[in-house]
Amino acid sequence: MIKRCLTIGLAMTWLVGKAESVKVFCHVLSEDGNPVTNAVVKTTTERDRLNMSWTKPIKMKTWTVSSGKDGRAISDFTCHSGDFEVEVSADGFYPERLRDQHFAIKLNSSNTGYIFEEREKELTITLRKIINPIDMVVHRFPHKYFPRRSGEFGFDLEKGDWTAPFGAGKVADMTFTYNLTVTNDEERCAGSLSFAAGAGAYKLKKQKGTSFVSVYEADSNVTYRAEFPFSSYCSYKDSGNHGAVRVAGDDEYLVFRTRVVKDDNGNIVSANYGKIYGAIRTVGYFGATAIYFNPTPNDTNLEAK
């Protein structure tokens, strides 16, 4: 067994192949379709060999070029594995990163090494403008255990904590109804995340690649859902089978409206807005990637500094 594993390991290392000259043609555009001039385009190769004790891995390398008046840039470099990533930045724009890019490769006819099936690739990168970033209350990676296995618990989005008597929160912007049951065979939880009358949230998909993944402003005219159910189970007996219904997944986020004040006619005269980046986790604790709370009433801006 040891000899076989050693042979496979050596073969994998040898088959990585020699360096090939490749080109990436990048077209950098703004969201309105206009070319972005003087964008900095950095192309980085992935680690090119397995890091084994008997072979020295080839280090990751980066090549930097700039886009011209037409928004185009050509990155000409050498690559062993065919794997690379591109990072683009420009003044007045949010940077974007394209991970896990690949040139197609295949084994040669004698199965003794890799050859490249392509040596050129075209990429279009769209950058989002920095418009009006503001100071927001931000809680990154909030992780708050539910105070008890069952009950209703208020959560203050500005404070990032449970309301009294379980935390320092003052306003129950959200209320979790939560119930956890644990037996020798399985663990189950069920409940919902709800908002007060007039408040609520709507769910959107994150923008891919860019560092600013949300909309710029909350939409005051859409329907804000008052409740989001969630559930999960994990079987200890049945080979660890599990399942979950999440409030929001890794590629999603919530835009929320809270602290709503209405006039005598039922019209909203005051409200606070913000967003919660998924994944939103509700098994044993409330967790998320980040909470952004705009402290200025009636300001729908979601672009944080």
Side-chain angles (χ1 to χ4, degrees):
M1 176 65 73
I2 294 175
K3 184 177 180 181
R4 182 184 177 189
C5 292
L6 180 61
T7 302
I8 292 173
L10 286 169
M12 289 174 65
T13 305
W14 180 51
L15 291 174
V16 167
K18 65 178 182 179
E20 296 279 356
S21 295
V22 294
K23 290 183 179 181
V24 176
F25 298 87
C26 294
H27 194 192
V28 186
L29 303 173
S30 62
E31 279 192 300
D32 53 14
N34 292 321
V36 177
T37 305
N38 294 325
V40 178
V41 180
K42 294 183 178 180
T43 305
T44 302
T45 59
E46 299 290 344
R47 201 171 182 86
D48 287 320
R49 288 189 181 177
L50 299 177
N51 188 10
M52 297 181 180
S53 59
W54 56 83
T55 182
K56 183 178 180 180
I58 298 171
K59 294 181 179 180
M60 297 172 66
K61 296 180 181 178
T62 299
W63 288 263
T64 303
V65 294
S66 298
S67 63
K69 293 182 178 179
D70 58 357
R72 298 184 183 275
I74 302 175
S75 185
D76 191 345
F77 59 100
T78 57
C79 187
H80 283 73
S81 65
D83 301 326
F84 66 99
E85 67 178 36
V86 177
E87 186 173 0
V88 182
S89 59
D91 290 341
F93 293 87
Y94 289 101
E96 180 154 356
R97 193 173 187 177
L98 301 181
R99 301 177 183 270
D100 300 322
Q101 301 298 306
H102 311 280
F103 288 100
I105 60 175
K106 66 177 181 180
L107 285 173
N108 60 23
S109 57
S110 60
N111 292 334
T112 57
Y114 285 122
I115 58 175
F116 277 58
E117 291 188 287
E118 57 179 350
R119 290 176 177 80
E120 294 184 354
K121 189 173 286 289
E122 295 185 5
L123 298 174
T124 299
I125 298 99
T126 302
L127 299 184
R128 306 187 72 193
K129 290 182 179 180
I130 299 173
I131 297 178
N132 182 29
I134 61 170
D135 290 319
M136 297 183 73
V137 179
V138 182
H139 302 284
R140 301 189 187 279
F141 302 105
H143 187 288
K144 295 291 181 178
Y145 285 102
F146 287 106
R148 294 173 181 165
R149 285 193 172 187
S150 64
E152 290 190 356
F153 314 109
F155 192 87
D156 189 321
L157 289 165
E158 184 175 19
K159 296 291 185 181
D161 200 2
W162 303 114
T163 55
F166 304 112
K170 303 296 184 182
V171 179
D173 296 299
M174 306 187 302
T175 299
F176 287 90
T177 302
Y178 182 75
N179 184 60
L180 173 68
T181 57
V182 180
T183 67
N184 291 333
D185 296 332
E186 65 179 15
E187 175 182 304
R188 290 181 179 269
C189 84
S192 64
L193 183 162
S194 61
F195 295 83
Y202 60 94
K203 188 187 304 185
L204 295 173
K205 290 285 188 180
K206 293 178 181 177
Q207 294 267 359
K208 293 183 179 180
T210 179
S211 58
F212 183 66
V213 301
S214 79
V215 293
Y216 289 96
E217 293 195 9
D219 189 341
S220 58
N221 295 316
V222 302
T223 299
Y224 283 76
R225 286 177 55 185
E227 186 174 16
F228 294 82
F230 58 82
S231 63
S232 72
Y233 78 91
C234 179
S235 172
Y236 309 133
K237 187 176 180 180
D238 188 18
S239 301
N241 285 344
H242 63 278
V245 175
R246 288 184 176 177
V247 174
D250 291 304
D251 63 341
E252 298 173 316
Y253 65 99
L254 296 184
V255 176
F256 64 81
R257 177 171 66 198
T258 187
R259 307 188 183 187
V260 173
V261 178
K262 296 183 178 182
D263 61 19
D264 293 338
N265 296 319
N267 299 312
I268 295 176
V269 295
S270 179
N272 288 84
Y273 296 86
K275 57 188 178 182
I276 307 173
Y277 285 163
I280 296 177
R281 307 185 186 279
T282 53
V283 181
Y285 67 94
F286 162 57
T289 300
I291 298 172
Y292 293 83
F293 183 92
N294 189 335
T296 304
N298 297 330
D299 186 359
T300 58
N301 192 348
L302 301 178
E303 189 178 7
K305 288 183 179 178

